[in-house]
Amino acid sequence: DAGVTQSPTHLIKTRGQHVTLRCSPISGHKSVSWYQQVLGQGPQFIFQYYEKEERGRGNFPDRFSARQFPNYSSELNVNALLLGDSALYLCASSLDQQGVREKLFFGSGTQLSVL
Amino acid sequence: QQQVKQSPQSLIVQKGGISIINCAYENTAFDYFPWYQQFPGKGPALLIAIRPDVSEKKEGRFTISFNKSAKQFSLHIMDSQPGDSATYFCAAGGLTGGGNKLTFGTGTQLKVEL
C-alpha cells in the first residue's frame, strides 16, 4: 500500500511568491494534517482537516491556508513568501475516528527554500 | 503551556548500550505521548506511544516511562544498534485546543557507535 505522498519533493521560490504543496493521504484515511519543520527543530502544527473541514489551526499567519478535497487529498498554500518560510513541510494522515487517539503517518515532506 | 522540552540535544551511545531521552511537558490537558523516529530525508515515523493512565509501555527494545505527577516521560532504547542512529522526537497531544494536533520536542540526534 502506498504511504502518504507529497509533491513536489523540493521547491525553490523567491520572496513574495506564493507556493502550493500537495498531499495524498493513505487510502482510507480521512484526516490530513500539515506541519512545518525548520532545520534542527521539531515539526510544528499548521492545520488539520477532516472531511474537508478545518479541525484545527496552529499559530501561523493568514498567509498560510489549506484545503481538503472530496478524495481527501489536500493542498497547503503559502502567500507572500518570506525567507523564514524555508522549511520542510510535512503532511500526515490518519483515520481520525472522533475522540480517539490515532497514529499519524507522515510523508517525506516538501523541502521549500525561499531565496 | 504548549511547550514540550526535550533533552539531550545529541547523544552518542556504544553499540549494545542503553539510550535514554527525556521530555517534560506543561499542559495537563495533554493525554497522548508518542515518540517519533526520523531519518535524514524522511518524515517522522511513530515508534511507540503512551497514554497517562499507564506508567510504562514496552515494545521490543523501546520502552516509554511516564511520570504523570512530574509531567515527564522518557524513551529508553535497549541494546542500541547502529541502525537506531536517527533523530528522535517526543510529542504530546490533546483533543482540546484546536484539532488533533501534536506538539513536538526539539529532537535528539542519536548516534550509535560500533
Side-chain angles (χ1 to χ4, degrees):
Chain A
D1 285 341
V4 176
T5 57
Q6 293 186 242
S7 63
T9 55
H10 295 82
L11 203 50
I12 299 175
K13 292 286 188 178
T14 56
R15 281 180 299 173
Q17 286 188 312
H18 72 271
V19 68
T20 298
L21 310 181
R22 296 178 173 82
C23 172
S24 293
I26 292 171
S27 177
H29 285 194
K30 298 182 178 180
S31 174
V32 169
S33 299
W34 288 94
Y35 286 78
Q36 180 196 64
Q37 186 175 21
V38 173
L39 188 63
Q41 298 294 317
Q44 193 169 3
F45 176 77
I46 309 175
F47 288 110
Q48 184 200 3
Y49 275 78
Y50 176 73
E51 292 281 13
K52 296 178 292 179
E53 292 191 0
E54 183 182 299
R55 272 273 190 84
R57 172 187 286 255
N59 188 23
F60 280 81
D62 292 343
R63 300 184 294 107
F64 288 76
S65 64
R67 55 180 175 168
Q68 186 178 33
F69 299 99
N71 66 354
Y72 303 112
S73 67
S74 177
E75 284 182 353
L76 175 70
N77 294 283
V78 186
N79 293 324
L81 285 167
L82 302 175
L83 296 179
D85 295 330
S86 296
L88 180 67
Y89 288 85
L90 295 163
C91 174
S93 77
S94 67
L95 286 167
D96 198 48
Q97 300 171 45
Q98 183 68 33
V100 176
R101 285 308 191 182
E102 292 185 311
K103 184 175 179 177
L104 280 183
F105 293 83
F106 282 88
S108 294
T110 295
Q111 184 65 54
L112 172 65
S113 298
V114 182
L115 305 179
Chain B
Q1 281 292 314
Q2 294 296 321
Q3 270 191 322
V4 176
K5 296 181 180 179
Q6 184 172 347
S7 63
Q9 185 175 355
S10 63
L11 184 60
I12 300 175
V13 173
Q14 296 299 309
K15 180 183 175 183
I18 302 173
S19 304
I20 302 174
I21 305 171
N22 301 299
C23 283
Y25 64 97
E26 299 170 355
N27 190 342
T28 55
F30 288 141
D31 65 353
Y32 176 65
F33 302 90
W35 284 88
Y36 282 81
Q37 179 189 57
Q38 187 175 28
F39 292 103
K42 299 292 186 182
L46 179 67
L47 268 179
I48 186 172
I50 198 168
R51 301 184 196 281
D53 53 349
V54 296
S55 60
E56 186 174 284
K57 183 174 181 181
K58 183 177 180 179
E59 289 185 2
R61 296 185 294 111
F62 301 93
T63 300
I64 299 180
S65 297
F66 185 82
N67 185 330
K68 188 175 180 178
S69 61
K71 292 187 284 187
Q72 295 175 347
F73 58 110
S74 60
L75 175 70
H76 291 65
I77 306 174
M78 312 299 289
D79 188 25
S80 298
Q81 299 296 313
D84 296 331
S85 298
T87 301
Y88 292 80
F89 293 95
C90 62
L95 287 173
T96 59
N100 187 9
K101 73 176 186 180
L102 292 177
T103 299
F104 283 83
T106 51
T108 296
Q109 198 161 10
L110 171 65
K111 183 177 181 182
V112 180
E113 292 184 336
L114 292 170

